[in-house]
Amino acid sequence: MSNRFVDAGLSAPVNLTWEVTLACNLRCRHCLSSSGRPAVGELDTAEALQAVEQLHGAGVFQVNFGGGEPFLRPDFEEILSACHDRGLVTCISTNGTLLDQARVRRLSRSRLVAIQVSLDGARRETCDAIRGEGTFAEALHALRLLASSPIPTSINTVLTGPNAAEIPDLHRLAGSLGVSLRVSRFRPSGRGAVDWEALRPTASQLLAFSAWLSTEAGVRTGDSFFSLTSQERQGLGLNLCGAAKLTCCLGPRGDLYPCAFLQRREFRAGSLRRRSFAEIWRESPVFESFRSLRIHSCESCQRFDQCHGGCPAVAYHLGRGVGGGDPECLMECVTTLGGPAPRPAVQEPTP
């Protein structure tokens, strides 16, 4: 998608991440939101169904559900059905622990759902050290249930230092299960900020992943890995941040943010409890600031047309501000190979 098209503005995001609850039965060390207990004042069922109406009315194409663990909401399948009844495509990010055969059968009734199950290592020891004891086995059980269903399914893994060497094995594991692999980026947000030094990939690991990725067109990366994208993968996805341009995030209390990794008070664009989704998307000064954001410090870089400064959320959490340029881009990895890791800034808890 060309920058010119994105800059012109869209009447609605192509896809939206909806963190439907902060409740979670796991305590993963890299969690972007420090999930555990439900947030105070989460949208109730009636408000959530009204949100679905607003997203549909605005013209949103896809809703990506996350959390927390979405299936911990007793009404989650009702919310999901409301999306499908209105033709909204959905993707659910889950830890897999609450999936059983009956639930998979119910979810299989719609052709508008896809599911990604989190698995953070090709070895039990690696995954369990990040996600908790027994999570590797439970995720594999969920993946096998889904693989025998018509639901499009993928493994979602967050690239970290401990699992970086296992990504090719995860790809082979996904193939043996009949599912795909999606690799997400680790950011120092939420609980991830606490374990940033222990879990972040090194510059050499990021460069090795970039080189491997250039040979694996079937592996999806989704969010902000364009900062590491090699020439071989150009055209397979966006080459700039889509926050407030192509996507945004709906938090569990009905607040809207540019992306899931910037659920901070200063980036709150508005609340569905006070204004309509369409109004916030169209008129929010926060969203407008992201649409006009330019990473001027990166404009002289030879890779600027490939990544346009990388991920503003990573830059923000590492103290550079959203306009500071991605500290983990391909060129910085080359330049600072073996250098000290930047430390995440200390911030107040998500309001």
Side-chain angles (χ1 to χ4, degrees), residues 246-257:
L246 299 172
T247 187
C248 66
C249 173
L250 176 58
R253 286 178 286 253
D255 296 315
L256 287 161
Y257 302 92

Side-chain angles (χ1 to χ4, degrees), residues 28-32 130 158-162 184-203 205-206 224-225 227-228 261 311 313-320 326-329 333 339-347:
C28 301
R29 294 172 62 194
H30 54 29
C31 180
L32 72 93
I130 295 173
V158 177
L159 178 69
T160 61
S184 295
R185 189 169 174 188
F186 178 42
R187 298 176 179 88
S189 167
R191 201 153 42 237
V194 177
D195 275 330
W196 171 248
E197 298 288 357
L199 294 180
R200 69 176 296 270
T202 64
Q205 286 174 323
L206 290 170
S224 88
F225 264 124
S227 59
L228 290 170
F261 295 92
C311 175
V314 173
Y316 169 81
H317 286 294
L318 292 180
R320 292 188 175 189
D326 193 329
E328 291 189 331
C329 74
C333 287
R343 292 181 175 275
V346 177
Q347 297 155 353

